[in-house]
Amino acid sequence: QVQLVEFGGGLVQPGGSLRLSCAASDALFSFYAVAWYRQAPGKQRELVASVTNGGSTNYADSVKGRFTISRDNAKNTVTLQMNSLKPEDTAVYYCKADRGPFQYWGQGTQVTVSS
């Protein structure tokens, strides 16, 4: 069982930046593919960005050029750097880790973009 803890959310003005981190309890975290999802009120959960165990990244069109996902396997963490934030980025952000048939989710962290 892998435990994921997200932190770094909060309230930010439009155009601002936030840095989310996902910390894992598993020392084998480097073998996991990791993704950030988000869910806004009344909407379905959507993929924001992902990084494979080999370091390849993928982004939703809505965040390309603004968000950057990266991983530090030595620290068992994955980070989502979010720049040029927009009100429509407001959501609960979740970290997910996959390895084979196993899938783990964090509890989520709230990001609110508002003036």
Side-chain angles (χ1 to χ4, degrees):
Q1 183 76 16
V2 176
Q3 292 185 333
L4 302 174
V5 178
E6 302 102 331
F7 50 95
L11 173 64
V12 64
Q13 291 186 342
S17 298
L18 280 176
R19 186 180 181 90
L20 304 183
S21 293
C22 173
S25 62
D26 193 341
L28 299 179
F29 188 58
S30 62
F31 293 98
Y32 289 81
V34 181
W36 284 96
Y37 284 74
R38 67 186 180 188
Q39 188 167 19
K43 294 188 177 181
Q44 288 189 330
R45 192 171 296 189
E46 63 175 357
L47 176 66
V48 175
S50 63
V51 59
T52 68
N53 55 1
S56 297
T57 59
N58 184 55
Y59 297 92
D61 287 342
S62 59
V63 307
K64 281 181 181 176
R66 300 188 298 123
F67 291 11
T68 302
I69 189 171
S70 61
R71 66 188 304 158
D72 184 339
N73 291 330
K75 296 182 179 179
N76 291 345
T77 59
V78 170
T79 298
L80 184 68
Q81 177 67 43
M82 305 186 295
N83 299 326
S84 302
L85 283 161
K86 305 175 181 180
E88 51 264 43
D89 294 317
T90 295
V92 178
Y93 283 69
Y94 298 89
C95 176
K96 187 187 79 166
D98 289 277
R99 184 185 179 194
F102 305 105
Q103 189 176 92
Y104 304 98
W105 289 89
Q107 82 289 349
T109 185
Q110 176 70 46
V111 171
T112 302
V113 185
S114 176
S115 55

